[in-house]
Amino acid sequence: MKKALIFSDSHGKKEAMWEVMKRFPEADAIFHAGDIEGDAGRLEEAADCPVYIARGNCDFTSKLPANLLVEFGGKKIALCHGHRYIDFGGLDKIKYWALEQGADILIFGHTHIPYLEQGEKLTVINPGSISKPRQQKRIPTYAIMEVSKDGQFHFSLCEYYKKFPPL
């Protein structure tokens, strides 16, 4: 089984990401959908797997790419922060962009609100924010993407707590 951790909108507060990464050392990849605010290099150094990061609207001086297309587990993943689409056309615009790229999965951030939609042509996931959540309970969130041996994808939106319950 392959596993990827998905983060977004950490805004320079990396401690929660580090804790999640320690919890899942078997991760095969890490995706960050932007607003990492200067921690891109630190995340890449801390990870024992490939790291894919898109530039967010708060990554002002970053040379990170605005959009990425990545193959993972036999699927094409479109990764972006989303502000260029969400703020100027909503969810339909960002989905259209991902489909134009031939993506099977779209990972985006920006809203700080977790979201998962699994459609026939496209799965759309926003992990929410690991440091500045905006959803009703205001609990930091991240996501896990797993690929089984038979190629089936499973997505989990996860809440981050300072103290994880025992395994």
Side-chain angles (χ1 to χ4, degrees):
M1 179 176 312
K2 291 184 85 163
K3 181 180 289 189
L5 299 175
I6 305 172
F7 300 106
S8 189
D9 297 283
S10 51
H11 289 281
K13 297 183 182 199
K14 59 191 170 295
E15 296 78 16
M17 277 193 307
W18 280 203
E19 288 297 319
V20 172
M21 288 167 58
K22 286 179 194 171
R23 181 79 172 173
F24 299 100
E26 74 280 10
D28 297 295
I30 296 174
F31 293 86
H32 194 295
D35 281 358
I36 196 165
E37 293 190 37
D39 284 333
R42 288 184 203 93
L43 177 58
E44 291 169 339
E45 288 172 10
D48 290 330
C49 59
V51 176
Y52 307 99
I53 307 169
R55 183 177 66 242
N57 60 302
C58 292
D59 296 321
F60 305 112
T61 60
S62 171
K63 294 187 185 336
L64 292 166
N67 305 314
L68 287 102
L69 292 173
V70 177
E71 189 278 325
F72 182 78
K75 299 284 186 182
K76 193 171 184 182
I77 298 173
L79 174 68
C80 68
H81 187 58
H83 62 291
R84 296 173 182 204
Y85 306 98
I86 299 281
D87 291 352
F88 303 100
L91 197 53
D92 286 342
K93 187 168 185 179
I94 197 170
K95 287 181 192 177
Y96 183 76
W97 167 77
L99 289 168
E100 278 186 317
Q101 307 310 305
D104 303 296
I105 298 165
L106 166 63
I107 298 172
F108 76 101
H110 186 58
T111 66
H112 295 225
I113 298 170
Y115 178 82
L116 175 61
E117 176 187 325
Q118 292 183 275
E120 283 185 37
K121 293 183 180 180
L122 184 68
T123 294
V124 180
I125 186 162
N126 181 332
S129 174
I130 192 69
S131 70
K132 294 183 176 186
R134 292 183 183 154
Q135 75 277 22
Q136 189 173 14
K137 295 192 294 181
R138 303 267 195 244
I139 295 172
T141 54
Y142 62 98
I144 297 174
M145 176 171 55
E146 295 176 302
V147 188
S148 64
K149 289 180 182 176
D150 65 356
Q152 296 296 310
F153 273 69
H154 176 75
F155 299 87
S156 301
L157 291 172
C158 306
E159 294 179 340
Y160 169 78
Y161 298 95
K162 292 233 182 241
K163 297 213 182 243
F164 281 106
L167 290 174

